Amino acid sequence: MIRVLIVDDHPIVQEGFKQILAETPDIKYVDVASSGNEAIKKIREGHYDVIVLDISLPDISGLDVLQLVKTEKPDIPVLVLSIYPEKIYGIQTLKAGASGYITKE
């Protein structure tokens, strides 16, 4: 079963992902973090199979969280989710170790 951490500071995005993932039989557990610091704490203390990570967070950048994940737990795939167009951050996040990049659009 797949354990997912959603890192986004917008409750509507968190709830939307939770609803979508709840309909997927292989998803066992969905957890959320509303800030970069909260995400780092959860990543260090918990076990996740996939992380969905927003770039814009209220305290530290999602890019910094991505760097930490790739340093401390490099086997966890990270899907970066952003309001920014792919041409701005897409290549940068993939080079930093993200498994994919999608826009909220």
Side-chain angles (χ1 to χ4, degrees), residues 61-75:
S61 167
L63 296 173
D64 292 333
V65 175
L66 174 62
Q67 182 179 8
L68 175 119
V69 170
K70 291 297 138 184
T71 300
E72 294 187 13
K73 297 194 177 187
D75 294 334

Side-chain angles (χ1 to χ4, degrees), residues 12-48:
I12 195 162
V13 173
Q14 293 173 353
E15 290 304 313
F17 264 104
K18 285 168 65 175
Q19 287 181 10
I20 291 167
L21 296 175
E23 298 173 6
T24 306
D26 292 343
I27 304 294
K28 176 182 179 184
Y29 179 73
V30 177
D31 197 4
V32 297
S34 298
S35 70
N37 286 321
E38 182 181 5
I40 290 169
K41 182 177 186 223
K42 288 185 177 213
I43 291 163
R44 286 180 170 157
E45 294 175 356
H47 177 75
Y48 302 96

Side-chain angles (χ1 to χ4, degrees), residues 6-14 32-36 38 52-60 81 83 104:
I6 300 165
V7 183
D8 196 293
D9 59 324
H10 296 98
I12 195 162
V13 173
Q14 293 173 353
V32 297
S34 298
S35 70
E38 182 181 5
V52 178
L53 175 64
D54 190 8
I55 288 178
S56 297
L57 298 170
D59 49 3
I60 62 174
L81 174 70
I83 61 168
K104 291 181 179 179

Side-chain angles (χ1 to χ4, degrees), residues 72-91:
E72 294 187 13
K73 297 194 177 187
D75 294 334
I76 300 175
V78 178
L79 175 62
V80 174
L81 174 70
S82 177
I83 61 168
Y84 302 110
E86 185 178 321
K87 65 182 178 181
I88 295 176
Y89 284 109
I91 299 297

